[in-house]
Amino acid sequence: MSIGNSPEDDRPADDLGPVDLPAQDLPSIGRALKQARIESGLTVDEVSTATRVRIPIIHAIEQDDFSRCGGDVYARGHLRTLARAVGLDPAELLERFDADHGGRPAPTPAAPLFEAERIRPEPRRPNWTAAMVAAIVAVIGFVGFTAFKGDDGGDNSRTPVAGSGSTPAGDATKSKPNPPKPADPKPDPSGSAIAAVPQDKVTVKVSAPDGRSWISAKDLNGRTLFDGTLEQGDSKTFQDKQQIDLVLGNAGAIDLFVNGKAIEDDFQPGQIERLTYTKGDPQAG
């Protein structure tokens, strides 16, 4: 009796049935984010408002197009932010992203990456507001001084002194009011503390308690408010009527206060973050 192969043994490898590849059953990164967003009842506009990630970038990521992120470092940051907004585990998505894009990027000094993103600062413009305040103070002081000297009449012995018993009773009604106090110059918005923030503006305070960081700050029109290094222990405060755009070269060393509220984050040393803040509650949305 000859023993031959069974028909199942003669089948080609491709006919043995599907191979068990659980990873293939998982939705793509972009589809997973989109499904989680829809299940959470959120629109793209609402996610953009909550995360400060622009709407076109969210649409592109949900289609697994990471080319608009500006590189793997920024793509990983956007994935972490969007995953938290829709209730997904950022670590799982980042692990899959790294596997699809050649592994986790090696730590890179923040300065070269930041320098590549820098936009040539605009020429400094004269600070006409400060100049006008100084001129007003000078004029008020001069007018007050002139009025005081004119009332004196050149006779210092007749100058009334508050609380002095030597002032004649008849001169009491002739006492002249004190000259107007010069107006205080407008305080520098870069003070170390924000006592009270105006409701009609966006106020962002950046401090570096844990180390130096490279930062760039711009207003809504793209005008550069600051572009340079913030040394450890230093702080800067920026204000605009509508919007402040930030780039943090070493986000792990930075503490942020937006519109008078501390921003909770888990930025890591050497991490680069692009942030945008507007008026109102920074935690809203």
Side-chain angles (χ1 to χ4, degrees), residues 167-180:
T167 303
D171 292 341
T173 58
K174 300 181 180 180
S175 299
K176 300 299 181 180
N178 292 329

Side-chain angles (χ1 to χ4, degrees), residues 31-45:
R31 185 171 181 80
L33 287 171
K34 184 175 182 179
Q35 289 178 348
R37 174 178 60 77
I38 294 175
E39 291 174 358
S40 299
L42 298 173
T43 66
V44 173
D45 289 349

Side-chain angles (χ1 to χ4, degrees), residues 43-235:
T43 66
V44 173
D45 289 349
E46 291 171 338
V47 172
S48 176
T49 301
T51 62
R52 312 298 181 183
V53 178
R54 292 188 292 118
I55 292 176
I57 294 180
I58 296 177
H59 281 303
I61 290 177
E62 288 188 349
Q63 298 174 8
D64 295 301
D65 178 8
F66 301 99
S67 62
R68 303 197 64 171
C69 296
D72 290 351
V73 174
Y74 298 114
R76 295 179 87 259
H78 290 327
L79 283 177
R80 182 184 296 107
T81 302
L82 294 177
R84 289 173 181 158
V86 299
L88 293 180
D89 181 9
E92 180 180 347
L93 290 185
L94 291 175
E95 182 178 353
R96 292 172 57 190
F97 178 84
D98 294 339
D100 294 340
H101 294 80
R104 182 184 179 93
T108 305
L113 289 174
F114 179 74
E115 292 294 332
E117 293 292 328
R118 292 175 61 182
I119 300 175
R120 185 172 58 186
E122 298 179 357
R124 292 182 177 273
R125 299 178 179 177
N127 191 342
W128 295 113
T129 301
M132 291 178 63
V133 171
I136 292 173
V137 171
V139 170
I140 294 176
F142 177 78
V143 172
F145 177 78
T146 303
F148 182 80
K149 292 296 291 182
D151 294 336
D152 189 3
D155 185 3
N156 293 332
S157 63
R158 296 180 59 84
T159 301
V161 179
S164 173
S166 62
T167 303
D171 292 341
T173 58
K174 300 181 180 180
S175 299
K176 300 299 181 180
N178 292 329
K181 183 179 178 181
D184 293 330
K186 184 178 180 182
D188 186 356
S190 63
S192 60
I194 302 176
V197 295
Q199 299 298 316
D200 59 342
K201 295 182 180 180
V202 54
T203 303
V204 178
K205 179 186 176 184
V206 183
S207 62
D210 300 325
R212 67 198 302 262
S213 177
W214 300 266
I215 67 173
S216 173
K218 297 181 180 179
D219 61 14
L220 178 64
N221 298 320
R223 184 172 62 93
T224 298
L225 304 176
F226 181 80
D227 187 357
T229 301
L230 197 65
E231 297 295 337
Q232 183 175 2
D234 290 345
S235 65

